Amino acid sequence: MKDIELLLDDNKAYVYNKRPKMSQKLCIVFKNRTKVIDAITIKRIICFVNGIRKFYPKGAYKIYFDLGPTVFKDKISCTIFESICYVLIKNFNYTVQVSYLLLPNIESEGGSTSPLLLLKDGKKESCGNYIQKFCDSLYKNHYRKVVPAEADGPFLSFQMGDIESFLKFNGVGELYAKELAKVIAELIGNANEHTEGDCLVDIDVANNYYNNRSHKKPIGVNVAVINYSPIKLGDPVKIRLFEDPQLPVQYLKVRDAYYTHQAFFDESYTEEDFFNVASFQHKISGDMKKVCTGGTGLTKLLHSLESYAEAHKCYFLSGKRGLCFFQDEITTKENRGVGFNKENDFYNHRPSEKSIANCIITIPGTAYNLTFIFPEDTEDNYGDN
């Protein structure tokens, strides 16, 4: 997968300077002692891995991740750990072994069918199988595909239909599956347009849980869409706003908003955050060749899905910053844009504090995490909205 090694290269500052211990069997062990694998745990893993690369650069060793009884905090946490294992095997020729006991959790259900299961025995052959399944896999309620950078419109349309069929087959209501497939296809298209990089799509459907309060079986859908790239989400829009000599009217409005927002910038709201928000405005694109593309389609779709779901957690990360998609803050009002704030006003108000995310590691490119938990009778309720 193109540029995936940036996940370690862009986090070189995180490294253990003490030589990792090696067993007599030429095995280096990472022992996890936490019940949740989150960003803090991922940072520890990156420190550990970068320490191995520093002291044992040849790759002729086995790395054993003993994760123990645990849960992945969300889909992104699992997918980034999978990506680290991919880089170690594919790019640096290490043998990797992984073991864990996944505790029940609807948001990390994908860990029960992850390609990581192939690494339990730590054999070279299994590592080769992992590389293959990391890029293309359909197993039970788990869907994964690496969409190449050169994918065109017809390919993305086919991909959207493929995802919609997978969701419906696993019990997701027809209308909901259609809307979610549109969201995922748009995210893939955005990645191709903004970064010209490959895009990893990973989806799992959790349909074996029971709600004791409602006495129904909710269905959880966990989605990760990751594009590894040296280009962050807001970079193309920033470049276009200040380097395009013939900006269309809608871009001039965004540039004026930038000058307004300069008065708002501080430690919690930065210029980088502004250009992230600007990337979601109507008819805004970083592509110099396009005049009236981009738009609020993604946020409108997410707003619709969130209004239906019993619970949801949607956010993206790019570099060390990100945004959370809250239903009441991505509502669009005429001529006000997508504000990511309670005023629903991009042009005159800063995003809310809760909408801005900070990441303790660097995400090269863009990573989206979408989690929706919706009731068993999805299709009937959805039609009422």
Side-chain angles (χ1 to χ4, degrees), residues 38-278:
D38 55 11
I40 295 174
T41 312
I42 295 295
K43 182 179 178 180
R44 288 181 55 232
I45 290 172
I46 289 175
C47 288
F48 171 78
V49 167
N50 283 337
I52 293 174
R53 292 177 62 197
K54 177 180 178 180
F55 291 102
Y56 305 103
K58 293 184 178 181
Y61 307 103
K62 176 185 288 188
I63 301 173
Y64 174 35
F65 293 101
D66 181 4
L67 303 183
T70 192
V71 297
F72 292 97
K73 182 179 179 180
D74 52 24
K75 191 69 169 173
I76 285 294
S77 301
C78 182
T79 310
I80 288 179
F81 175 66
E82 292 169 338
S83 299
I84 292 171
C85 292
Y86 178 95
V87 173
L88 289 172
I89 297 168
K90 177 72 173 179
N91 296 61
F92 302 117
N93 201 34
Y94 291 100
T95 301
V96 175
Q97 183 175 4
V98 178
S99 69
Y100 58 89
L101 174 62
L102 192 68
L103 302 175
N105 184 286
I106 200 167
E107 287 190 56
S108 62
E109 177 66 20
S112 64
T113 50
S114 166
L116 292 171
L117 299 175
L118 296 169
L119 300 178
K120 279 190 172 182
D121 60 12
K123 295 180 178 179
K124 275 284 187 182
E125 181 180 357
S126 300
C127 290
N129 292 335
Y130 176 80
I131 294 303
Q132 179 183 353
K133 295 298 182 182
F134 178 90
C135 296
D136 192 341
S137 177
L138 180 60
Y139 178 61
K140 295 183 178 179
N141 59 337
H142 200 144
Y143 175 99
R144 175 187 289 253
K145 177 81 70 174
V146 171
V147 180
E150 58 273 14
D152 55 12
F155 183 90
L156 291 178
S157 295
F158 173 81
Q159 200 70 46
M160 185 169 69
D162 202 26
I163 292 170
E164 181 182 342
S165 297
F166 163 78
L167 293 170
K168 289 191 290 188
F169 181 79
N170 283 281
V172 179
E174 182 174 355
L175 292 175
Y176 188 88
K178 185 182 294 291
E179 293 296 289
L180 188 50
K182 287 180 183 177
V183 168
I184 297 169
E186 181 154 346
L187 291 178
I188 297 170
N190 288 347
N192 288 349
E193 175 183 321
H194 290 298
T195 69
E196 300 181 356
D198 299 339
C199 195
L200 171 63
V201 182
D202 190 288
I203 311 166
D204 70 80
V205 179
N207 51 17
N208 57 345
Y209 288 81
Y210 184 78
N211 190 322
N212 290 321
R213 288 181 294 179
S214 66
H215 303 292
K216 293 183 178 180
K217 294 176 64 177
I219 296 180
V221 181
N222 302 299
V223 181
V225 180
I226 302 182
N227 160 247
Y228 293 112
S229 166
I231 302 172
K232 292 180 289 187
L233 179 75
D235 290 348
V237 171
K238 179 180 180 179
I239 292 171
R240 182 168 188 181
L241 284 184
F242 295 105
E243 294 187 7
D244 188 345
Q246 296 181 322
L247 281 175
V249 173
Q250 65 269 25
Y251 290 84
L252 292 173
K253 288 181 64 179
V254 172
R255 192 166 67 182
D256 289 342
Y258 169 78
Y259 295 128
T260 299
H261 278 243
Q262 281 184 313
F264 304 146
F265 293 158
D266 54 27
E267 290 185 0
S268 61
Y269 176 50
T270 67
E271 181 181 270
E272 187 173 344
D273 298 320
F274 171 83
F275 287 109
N276 283 339
V277 176

Side-chain angles (χ1 to χ4, degrees), residues 21 309-310 356:
K21 293 182 180 179
E310 289 184 340
I356 298 175

